[in-house]
Amino acid sequence: MNYVLNLATAFIAAFQLAKDWGAHQATWRRAAVLSLIVTLGVGGTINTYYAGKKASAVHEEDQRQIGGLKKAVETANKAQDSNTAQFLQSFSTLTQKLSDLQTQVKTSGLQKEAARLRAELEATQKALTPQRAELVSSLGNVTDTLENLGVTESSVPRGIDGTISFTATVVNKSPVQATNGSIFLRICEQCTFADEPKRFMKPVGAPDYDRQMMFATIPATTGIAVPLKIKTPDRTHRLEIQFVLRCENCTVHPPELLHINY
């Protein structure tokens, strides 16, 4: 089709020249216009040919590279499957060896061999189970060495306006980073947030005493401070706060309760 368009354009120009042949009285003008028309037709056709050839070569190269990438991915997947199978086979072999030895242990040498295999088995089990992050909440002044982490109750003065102010901390006490998680916070039903906690928002459809914060990461052995200012009901002297802590790679724990006396 590209060739047809080029040639059609040249033929139309030639017909136009024939129509206006008498207007070009000078021979050199007729020759020049005719030469331009022929050049246009032939040159356009040649250019289209080489452009198509180049595009075809580029397409073939792209397909070759795509094929190479697909083959590399397939090879990597096969290698991964093979490595996993070998690892599981090694684990199964170790388990069988230990089971056999435990039924035959009579000498100190065999006892040592059983103990060695037990250590290898435990190491293999540990390698199979990736370490998980551990999130906990605290009312203590948590240090870099995770001191005061277990403080779940504290006392604070109550203002004349009925509000109490304090800071809770959500800490990742594990040696691995916690990723893509949330901190869910619930105060008592009769309580209200005197100030909205920073980075928290009310979940859609949730009651007024619930707030939630999403996070991308909490590095290992670090925490997030959660300053709170809450208006408490009259004739009460104790506030219960519930934290639900979740992340992609976290160990799942039941909701945690913190208590404030005022």
Side-chain angles (χ1 to χ4, degrees), residues 6-23:
N6 289 327
L7 294 174
T9 302
F11 280 126
I12 291 172
F15 288 141
Q16 187 65 37
L17 175 61
K19 178 182 178 182
D20 300 333
W21 187 263

Side-chain angles (χ1 to χ4, degrees), residues 37-76:
I37 293 173
V38 172
T39 301
L40 174 65
V42 175
T45 302
I46 294 173
N47 182 64
T48 300
Y49 169 77
Y50 282 106
K53 188 175 181 180
K54 182 178 180 181
S56 178
V58 170
H59 177 72
E60 290 179 1
E61 176 63 19
D62 290 343
Q63 291 299 315
R64 186 185 65 79
Q65 292 187 8
I66 291 172
L69 289 174
K70 287 182 178 179
K71 186 174 181 180
V73 171
E74 292 173 356
T75 301

